[in-house]
Amino acid sequence: MNILQVSARLKALARWVKQSVQKNLNSIFVVLGFFLFWEAVVWIFQIPPFILPAPSTALSHLLFPRADANYRWSYHISSTVLAIGLSFIATSTVGILIAIALAWSKRLKEIVLPAFVFINSLPIIAIAPIILLWMGYGVFTNMVIAFLVGFFPVVINTITGLEAVEEDLLDLVRYLNASKLQVFLKIRIPNALPYIFSGLKICSTMSIVGAIVGEFIASDRGLGYIIINAQYSMNTPPIFSSLILISLAGALLFTLVSLLERILMPWTALEAEP
Amino acid sequence: MHGNTPLLSIRDLKKVYKTRDGELEALGSVTFDIYPQEFVSIVGPSGCGKTTLLKIIAGLLPKTSGEIFVDKNQFDPSREVGFVFQKPLLLPWRKVIDNVLLPIEILKLDKRRYIEKARALLELVGLSGFENNYPNELSGGMQQRVSIARALIHDPKLILMDEPFGALDALTRERMNLELLRIWSESQKTILFVTHGIQEAIFLSDRVIILSARPSRMIKALDIELPRPRTMEVRSSAEFGVYSLEVYRCLELT
Ligand SMILES: Nc1ncnc2c1ncn2[C@@H]1O[C@H](COP(=O)(O)OP(=O)(O)O)[C@@H](O)[C@H]1O
Ligand SMILES: [Mg+2]
C-alpha cells in the first residue's frame, strides 16, 4: 500500500466514525428530549407516581436506598445482564451452527425447518411455565426461553446468506475442484456475514425479550423479577427504573453487535468511495 | 505453422441442454486443436454457445458427446486451466492479494510458496501497490486484471477467457487488449479467448474460430498472420481490413 491509499482508507474510516457519532448524537438528543418532555408532563399535570413516575423519581429509586422498596439493584442488574449476554451468545452460536447444518444438508433442512416454523409460532408466554416446570429456576432456564424467542431470525437469516451466492461465484471454485467444505469456508460463510449480522441484530432484541420474560416467570432475581415484584405492591417507580435499564441494555447490545460487524467486515467500511 | 503436438484437442463436441420446453442444442459440433502458446479466439453471435464451450472445457458442465483430450490423455481442468470470467468475480471480503491466492488455497498448495508469485503477477498485470486493497476500492478494469492474475497463479497451461473485457468502456478495453498481449507473451501461456468483438479477436489472435448461430457449427478457423508484437497501428493496416471483412462474410453480415 502506498501513502495515498493509506490516507484514503484512513479518511474513509474517519468519515464513517464521524457519521456514526453524528447519528448517535442525534438519537441521544432525541432520547434526552423525550425524558425532559416526560418529566415536564408529570410535573405540569401533577400525575401521581404510582400511575406515572417522573424519570427523576425512577432515577432516585435506582441511586438511593429506600425504606419502602429496597431492591439490591446491582445484584439484579448484573443478573439480568448475565442472562441477556449468555442468552444472546448461546442463541447466536447455536443458531448459526444449526443454519450451517441445514444449508449443508438439503434433506435435513426439509425435515427440520417446518418444525422450527412451528416452534417459532408458539407464544412464549404460554410455554415458558412448562419450561420452568421442567427445569426449575435459574439462568439456564432463562437462556432456554430466550433461545426459543430469538433463534429463528438467526437461523433464517444465516441460511439465506449461505444460499444467496451467485452461481458464477461457485463456478469460480468449482472448476478448481473445490470440496463442499471449501465452498462453505471460503465462499458461503463469508458471503453470509452481512445476513448473519442482521439476524444477530434482531436476536439482540429478542434475547432481551426472552431473558426478561424468563425472569418474569422463572426467576427470583433480575429486572424482570423486580417488575413483577413491584407490580404486586403497586410500587410503580422501580418498574420504570427497570424499563429504562432494559432499554439501555438493548441499545448497548445492539451497539456492540454493530461494532463487531464493523470489525469483522472491514471491507464494507470502504464502500461509496468518491 | 505449429510443428508440435496440440495442447488441447476438441473433437465433434456437442452439447444439448434439457430444458422445460424440450431439448436445446447449444453446441452443434465443434472440432479444433489448440497448440502451446497459441492465442485463439472464438467469435460468434450471442447465444451460440461460446460460454457453454468454455465451461465444458473447464469441467463445469458435462458434454453431451465428443472428445476433449491432451496428448491422448484425459484432461484435468483443475490443474491445467485458469478461468477468467465475464465478471471479475472477486471475493469482496478478501484483499487483492488473497483473491489472487484463492486457487492456491482451493488446490491445497503451500500458500507461503506462492505469495511472492502473487506479487509478481500483480506487477505483471500492472497492479503492484494494490495488494492490500479490497476489490471495491478498484475500478472495473483493475478488478478484471486481478482476476487475470488469479487465473495465472497456479500456473495452468491454458487460460480460458469469457468476454473478459465486455463490460469495460471502449478505451479501457483497447488498453486491456494491449496489456493482455503483453501478459500473454511474458507468461508464455496458451489462451482461448471468447468475444463477440470481431476487431478484438483479430487484433489479439493467432487464429479466430468463427461459430454460427445456434445450433452452432464451426464456420471457419481463420489464421491471422499479422506480425507480432502487435501495436495499435496494425488495426489500420490493409491486411487487418481484409481479415475483418472475411469474418463479417462468414457471419453473413455483408
Ligand atoms: N443452463 C442452461 N440451461 C438451458 N439452456 C442454457 C443454459 N445455459 C445456456 N443455455 C442456452 O444455451 C445457448 C448458449 O448459451 P451460451 O453458451 O451462454 O451462449 P454465448 O456465451 O455464446 O452467448 C443459449 O441459447 C442459452 O439460452
Ligand atoms: Mg457468453
Side-chain angles (χ1 to χ4, degrees):
Chain A
M1 263 198 301
N2 62 39
I3 297 190
L4 272 178
Q5 289 160 30
V6 172
S7 82
R9 172 153 319 163
L10 284 179
K11 263 184 209 154
L13 220 59
R15 203 168 45 227
W16 178 75
V17 170
K18 204 171 131 197
Q19 275 168 3
S20 32
V21 166
Q22 267 169 357
K23 250 187 272 168
N24 287 324
L25 267 186
N26 288 342
S27 44
I28 288 169
F29 281 134
V30 169
V31 171
L32 280 181
F34 171 75
F35 279 117
L36 282 177
F37 175 74
W38 174 0
E39 187 84 31
V41 167
V42 172
W43 284 111
I44 291 167
F45 296 101
Q46 288 294 311
I47 302 174
F50 71 90
I51 293 178
L52 181 67
S56 58
T57 314
L59 196 65
S60 79
H61 271 257
L62 272 181
L63 296 179
F64 309 111
R66 302 178 64 96
D68 55 339
N70 195 9
Y71 294 115
R72 288 156 58 211
W73 284 101
S74 60
Y75 169 71
H76 292 291
I77 290 172
S78 57
S79 163
T80 294
V81 165
L82 189 73
I84 292 173
L86 288 178
S87 299
F88 176 74
I89 291 168
T91 306
S92 38
T93 311
V94 175
I96 291 169
L97 291 178
I98 288 176
I100 291 173
L102 298 195
W104 184 277
S105 159
K106 219 173 172 173
R107 169 93 53 84
L108 194 65
K109 191 177 108 183
E110 279 164 7
I111 298 170
V112 172
L113 213 50
F116 284 176
V117 174
F118 173 74
I119 294 172
N120 186 51
S121 53
L122 287 173
I124 190 66
I125 292 288
I127 47 172
I130 305 172
I131 294 163
L132 173 64
L133 206 70
W134 289 339
M135 306 181 58
Y137 278 14
V139 115
F140 191 67
T141 310
N142 281 350
M143 283 166 68
V144 170
I145 292 171
F147 178 83
L148 291 175
V149 182
F151 81 103
F152 198 69
V154 179
V155 171
I156 290 293
N157 271 283
T158 306
I159 290 183
T160 306
L162 291 170
E163 289 176 348
V165 177
E166 261 185 289
E167 200 59 27
D168 292 349
L169 219 49
L170 295 177
D171 278 349
L172 169 67
V173 289
R174 266 195 211 131
Y175 88 89
L176 297 163
N177 274 342
S179 65
K180 194 170 175 180
L181 183 65
Q182 284 178 322
V183 172
F184 265 77
L185 290 178
K186 312 231 181 257
I187 311 276
R188 289 192 189 275
I189 292 176
N191 185 72
L193 277 180
Y195 298 81
I196 292 175
F197 274 105
S198 61
L200 292 188
K201 283 175 187 167
I202 303 171
C203 176
S204 72
T205 317
M206 293 300 195
S207 300
I208 288 165
V209 173
I212 298 298
V213 167
E215 287 174 351
F216 277 178
I217 292 166
S219 182
D220 53 0
R221 67 185 88 135
L223 297 174
Y225 163 78
I226 289 184
I227 291 175
I228 293 291
N229 190 278
Q231 187 210 339
Y232 290 146
S233 52
M234 292 270 280
N235 189 4
T236 320
I239 299 183
F240 279 87
S241 313
S242 302
L243 288 178
I244 292 170
L245 287 172
I246 290 165
S247 50
L248 210 64
L252 192 68
L253 186 54
F254 193 91
T255 308
L256 285 178
V257 175
S258 306
L259 199 68
L260 187 67
E261 178 178 28
R262 206 34 75 166
I263 291 167
L264 285 184
M265 298 169 49
W267 63 94
T268 51
L270 306 159
E271 255 154 34
E273 282 287 310
Chain B
M1 184 178 164
H2 354 262
N4 43 6
T5 49
L7 176 70
L8 180 74
S9 299
I10 292 174
R11 292 285 171 277
D12 197 20
L13 188 69
K14 290 185 180 154
K15 176 68 187 177
V16 179
Y17 284 112
K18 304 233 183 326
T19 67
R20 261 171 293 141
D21 333 312
E23 300 198 327
L24 188 140
E25 199 178 351
L27 283 177
S29 168
V30 174
T31 297
F32 62 91
D33 292 324
I34 306 173
Y35 291 86
Q37 294 177 34
E38 239 192 336
F39 198 124
V40 177
S41 286
I42 298 177
V43 295
S46 74
C48 76
K50 303 182 294 294
T51 298
T52 302
L53 174 61
L54 290 195
K55 285 190 174 175
I56 292 174
I57 295 174
L60 285 169
L61 281 176
K63 58 185 191 274
T64 304
S65 67
E67 300 296 328
I68 299 178
F69 54 86
V70 221
D71 274 341
K72 300 197 174 52
N73 294 320
Q74 281 297 313
F75 178 65
D76 174 15
S78 70
R79 297 290 169 147
E80 321 276 17
V81 165
F83 209 128
V84 180
F85 295 83
Q86 216 157 343
K87 288 181 278 179
L89 297 181
L90 302 180
L91 305 179
W93 52 85
R94 282 176 175 245
K95 293 177 176 174
V96 164
I97 186 117
D98 296 320
N99 265 289
V100 174
L101 287 165
L102 179 71
I104 298 306
E105 292 176 28
I106 301 293
L107 295 169
K108 299 199 177 90
L109 301 171
D110 183 4
K111 201 168 151 185
R112 280 164 305 165
R113 288 184 39 229
Y114 284 86
I115 289 174
E116 275 320 302
K117 179 155 189 216
R119 284 185 204 288
L121 283 173
L122 283 172
E123 192 178 335
L124 178 70
V125 299
L127 284 179
S128 45
F130 289 92
E131 290 87 352
N132 292 311
N133 286 72
Y134 285 101
N136 63 8
E137 297 173 286
L138 307 183
S139 69
M142 290 157 93
Q143 293 187 15
Q144 201 54 290
R145 287 165 198 247
V146 177
S147 87
I148 292 172
R150 179 180 60 194
L152 292 167
I153 187 76
H154 56 300
D155 207 20
K157 295 195 192 92
L158 178 63
I159 309 294
L160 303 175
M161 304 181 93
D162 189 3
E163 302 191 35
F165 310 139
L168 303 179
D169 63 90
L171 205 65
T172 311
R173 187 176 179 154
E174 310 270 295
R175 192 170 298 136
M176 291 299 289
N177 281 341
L178 287 169
E179 290 280 306
L180 180 60
L181 284 181
R182 184 179 57 76
I183 293 166
W184 169 64
S185 67
E186 282 180 31
S187 64
Q188 309 205 318
K189 296 293 176 195
T190 313
I191 296 183
L192 183 58
F193 186 92
V194 159
T195 174
H196 51 233
I198 291 166
Q199 317 288 331
E200 187 178 46
I202 297 170
F203 178 67
L204 294 171
S205 309
D206 297 316
R207 205 141 45 90
V208 177
I209 292 169
I210 305 159
L211 297 184
S212 72
R214 212 159 37 82
S216 45
R217 317 255 152 202
M218 267 181 65
I219 300 178
K220 189 171 183 124
L222 185 66
D223 284 323
I224 309 292
E225 280 158 12
L226 296 168
R228 291 197 188 266
R230 291 183 190 163
T231 56
M232 276 304 168
E233 285 91 74
V234 83
R235 290 200 173 215
S236 48
S237 68
E239 297 97 308
F240 196 91
V242 174
Y243 285 127
S244 307
L245 204 60
E246 175 73 13
V247 178
Y248 285 127
R249 211 178 44 71
C250 289
L251 291 168
E252 294 171 348
L253 292 169
T254 53

